[in-house]
Amino acid sequence: MECFVADIKDSTEKLVQKQMPENADEVIEKLFHDTRNLESSSFSIIYEQQQLEDSAIQLWNWAVTKHVGSAINEDQKAKVRHAACLLLCAAEPPEPSEGAVRRLILMATKTGRTWLDCKMPQMKFAVKSLETLYGRLTASADDKGDINIPKGDVEKDLFRVLSYQAESALAQENHPEAVVCVQRCRDMLLRLPKETGYLSLMCYNFGVDAYNLKKFEESSYWLSQSYDIGKLNERYSPGAVVRAKILRLLATVYLEWDCVSFQEKALNAVILANQASVQPSGLFLKIRILLKGKARDEPIRDAITELFESEVPLGVCLSMVKLLMEEDREALAFEFLKRVCQRFESSPELGSALVLHIELLLQRGKELLARQKIEDVITGHYTGKPLSHQTLSSLHLLLWDRASKNFEAINYSEALQWYNYSLSFYAAGQMEENLAKLQRNRASCFLHLGQLEKAREAIKEAERCDPDSIFTQFSVYKIAVLENDVDRAAEAVRAIGKLARGPVRSEDRLLQAHAAASGLLSLAAHIALEHDQQTIAKTALEGLCEHSEDWTQVLTALRCLVRLALSTMETAREEEREASLDALRSYLKMEYSSKQEGPYIDQRDSADCILTALRRVSQPSPMAGPRPGLEEHAEEANWFRKIAWNSALQCETSAERMRDFFVLSYQLSQFCLPDRAVLMGQKTCLLMATAARLELCRTSAVSVQQAEQLTEALEHIQICWEVWKALKASGDVSKDQTETLLLLYEFEARAKLSDPKLESVLEAVLELETVEPKTLETIAGLAMETPAHYPLLCKKALRIALALHKKQPQPDLLRCSRCLHSLVQLSLPSGVSEAEPRALEEAWGFYQEARSVIGLAPEDFPELEILWLLTRAWNTGILLYSRAQYPEAERWCGLAMTFLCHLGALQESYQTQMSGLYGEVLDKLDKAKRNLVMEE
């Protein structure tokens, strides 16, 4: 107990200090938790009574002071009060004084009320302990005759506690307990007559709560109690207006509960209510009850007359008319409506009654009468009986709805008449957005009726009122298509696209769409195709691809564009065919871009709209609609892939176009199912794209652009290597020459880029399982093809190629001769001044190789090549002779003479010419030797 008292004191001091503690909520929770144990405990003697009482008083005063304000919420305030109440109760002696008991009663009562206000009726300490305290107080008064305790005050407090108990019981859905508590309160009203109004209103509130919860039986009980209690004492009961309100709600409860079973009770209640205080709502309710009870027309007519004679406003009268129509009392409805129109003939609100009359006539199929009434309203509108803005808006909606239904039923003439009725209420030159919608709808009717001129006039009016509407531009487009005005149609499509980037406004029922711009552009393309206007259709489809956010719709539009381009190519001339190919390429190359206003498609060159679309449909997004599955998405990609492939094959005259189409085909294949056939297609696309890019570089001058193209070719090659690895893993590729081609393409690109990795490419070629001499000959040619210049690599490749040729069972001497020709060409200098011993020795070695090859089959070695080798060796010797290098001259000339025997018909001619000169060379050589001996 000492620890408990210490904890209570500590918590109290923390709360009642001047500055609210930051952890006030934690302190309150601890205090509430510590004191709750007192509810189930009984203390006969507590030595710390004074400390507990002081803490209780401090806590109570702190909770009720104004400066606490909103620092703590109602729930926390109730907990503090509850703790104070428990502490005070625990601190009281077994025989408390009268003042102490009354103080505890006050605190407990207020605590219970606070809990009820917090919607926490489970806290029952206050309402359960009070009766015990009251019993003790009453017993004490009876035994001792204590005149200081007025019995009326005790009963008044008990009355309040019982009412709280009733409220608490209902909050816990304990209806029987609440009934008992209220009955005890009712029994006390003879001694507490002033509480009559309070108890009556409390029962009314109980009835309202039960009604809102659709507990009609409980609601009817509490409302009946409220009315009966109010009758017990007229002086202190609620007034007639409140009693009438109670009875009307009671009648409503019976009506909604079971009108057939409780019709009589409902009628009695509402009649009593109207007798107590006549209100339009009561008269209206009486008619509702009669209608629900299937009463005859006569009593209903009497009730309507009663309502009508009570000077109710027009709105109530019109509501009654609608109710009668809903209950199939058409005759009564029109009869009453006629009387209403007569009474309010001079009222500015008469228009709403007239509009309702027209609406009811149309609902009942009395169209001729409705038309007559509309024409009367139009006449009155311009002759002193104008309709209010709100009434006019309602009438427009009614007329447009009627026109829309006729339009949907393909009754265009009828629809036009209803739109014309609406148009009659607009003044000439009026500017309004709704007028633009109306004119567009009229134009649609005129178009369906074949009245093009009138449609054009209507659209001019729509443009005047609302030129920045996509729907206005769409109407302009439709007329342009019918007039075959390609420029005007294209302009309208562009306008729709431009306007689509801004916020899309709603539209009338004839032209609604989830995505207005894309929906209209799609429809525009359909209209153009229906009228065989392919050029206009292309413009619309291109606009759709540019602005639509629906990727499936974009794919469909691109399919249409591709088909149109392909159909044009079939019959086009060469120039037109190239233009169609360019158009087709642009359809497969549209870039997706995001703007601040929202995503849309923009025509540029850096990416593919189709690729972006396929990526988007393959990725989940919580903001997007349903997307196609993997198979459907792969099927779309495969269709476009084949189109790109076939288009590439038609571009023999343009390497640039061919390369673009093959790249697109590869990119599209990435969205297909990765089977072997797709991998083969990817490999071929990349090889062909690389070949096309290299072909462009061969025909262009050295430039920065060429370097970029070669770098791009290397990127294609690198990707192709990855595809090739996957392909090798999927099956046998032993007969495939892809590796050789990739290395050749890579060698060419790196050679022209002067790439230091070039020699490693040659090494990779030599590491292939099978190296063809032709491959090495090609590499040799590429090593010296401008701007490349790698003579050492060239000679290396040619030597190996020659060696491979010689290893063949039957060497191809023609190809051997070409290798030797190139090797000699690379080694021999172009002039004596450039001759070096090393170069001459290298060339001499090649000549010896040539002699050995010729010796294999002299008759098969090309005679022209023999003549070339002879001539080149002879000329080298003569050049050396002219430089007085006689030994070398004799050597090379002698080498040339060895080839004479392999010449055919030319041997005699060359031998005659060479022999004489060769003799001179030998003479010079002998003289040079003698002079040398003499000098020694």
Side-chain angles (χ1 to χ4, degrees), residues 140 185 230 273 403 408 461 559 570 605 685 739 752 851:
S140 175
C185 289
E408 292 170 0
E461 282 297 305
R559 275 180 173 266
E570 291 176 359
D605 295 330
C685 285
E739 289 186 354
K752 291 179 179 176
R851 292 177 64 186

Coordinates of all heavy atoms in Angstrom, one line a residue, residues 140 185 230 273 403 408 461 559 570 605 685 739 752 851:
S140 N -29.4 6.4 6.0 CA -28.9 7.3 7.0 C -30.0 8.3 7.4 O -30.2 8.7 8.5 CB -27.6 7.9 6.6 OG -27.2 8.9 7.6
C185 N -37.3 5.8 -14.1 CA -37.3 7.3 -14.3 C -38.7 7.8 -14.5 O -39.1 8.8 -13.9 CB -36.4 7.7 -15.5 SG -34.7 7.5 -15.2
G230 N -44.4 12.6 -22.8 CA -44.8 14.0 -23.0 C -46.2 14.4 -22.6 O -46.5 15.5 -22.2
A273 N -50.0 13.9 -35.5 CA -49.0 14.9 -35.7 C -49.5 16.1 -36.4 O -49.2 17.3 -36.0 CB -47.8 14.3 -36.5
A403 N -33.0 13.5 -77.8 CA -32.3 13.5 -79.1 C -31.3 12.4 -79.2 O -31.2 11.7 -80.2 CB -31.6 14.9 -79.3
E408 N -29.3 7.2 -81.4 CA -28.9 5.8 -81.2 C -29.8 4.9 -81.9 O -29.4 3.8 -82.4 CB -28.8 5.5 -79.7 CG -27.7 6.2 -79.0 CD -27.8 6.0 -77.5 OE1 -28.8 5.4 -77.0 OE2 -27.0 6.6 -76.8
E461 N -20.3 27.3 -86.6 CA -20.8 27.8 -85.3 C -20.1 27.2 -84.1 O -19.8 27.9 -83.2 CB -22.3 27.6 -85.2 CG -23.2 28.5 -86.1 CD -23.0 30.0 -85.6 OE1 -23.2 30.3 -84.4 OE2 -22.6 30.8 -86.5
R559 N 0.2 -1.5 -87.1 CA -0.1 -2.5 -88.0 C -0.8 -2.0 -89.2 O -0.5 -2.3 -90.4 CB -1.0 -3.6 -87.3 CG -0.3 -4.6 -86.5 CD -1.3 -5.6 -85.9 NE -0.7 -6.7 -85.2 CZ -0.5 -7.9 -85.8 NH1 -0.8 -8.1 -87.1 NH2 0.1 -8.9 -85.2
E570 N 3.5 -2.1 -103.5 CA 3.2 -3.1 -104.5 C 3.0 -2.6 -105.9 O 3.4 -3.1 -106.9 CB 2.0 -3.9 -104.1 CG 2.2 -4.8 -102.8 CD 1.0 -5.5 -102.4 OE1 -0.1 -5.3 -103.1 OE2 1.0 -6.3 -101.4
D605 N 14.1 10.0 -84.0 CA 15.0 9.0 -84.6 C 15.7 8.1 -83.6 O 16.3 7.2 -84.0 CB 16.0 9.6 -85.5 CG 15.3 10.3 -86.7 OD1 14.3 9.8 -87.1 OD2 15.9 11.3 -87.2
C685 N 20.2 -11.1 -88.7 CA 20.0 -9.7 -88.8 C 21.2 -8.9 -88.4 O 21.5 -7.9 -89.0 CB 18.8 -9.3 -87.8 SG 17.2 -9.8 -88.3
E739 N 31.4 -17.5 -87.2 CA 32.6 -17.0 -86.5 C 33.5 -16.4 -87.5 O 34.1 -15.4 -87.2 CB 33.3 -18.2 -85.8 CG 32.5 -18.7 -84.6 CD 33.2 -19.8 -83.8 OE1 34.3 -20.2 -84.3 OE2 32.8 -20.2 -82.7
K752 N 40.1 -0.1 -90.3 CA 39.8 1.3 -90.7 C 39.7 2.3 -89.6 O 39.8 3.5 -89.8 CB 38.5 1.3 -91.5 CG 38.6 0.5 -92.8 CD 37.3 0.5 -93.6 CE 37.5 -0.3 -94.9 NZ 36.2 -0.4 -95.7
R851 N 59.3 -20.0 -107.5 CA 59.9 -21.0 -108.3 C 59.5 -22.4 -107.9 O 59.3 -23.3 -108.8 CB 61.4 -20.8 -108.3 CG 61.9 -19.5 -108.9 CD 63.4 -19.3 -108.8 NE 64.2 -20.4 -109.5 CZ 65.5 -20.6 -109.4 NH1 66.2 -19.8 -108.7 NH2 66.0 -21.5 -110.1

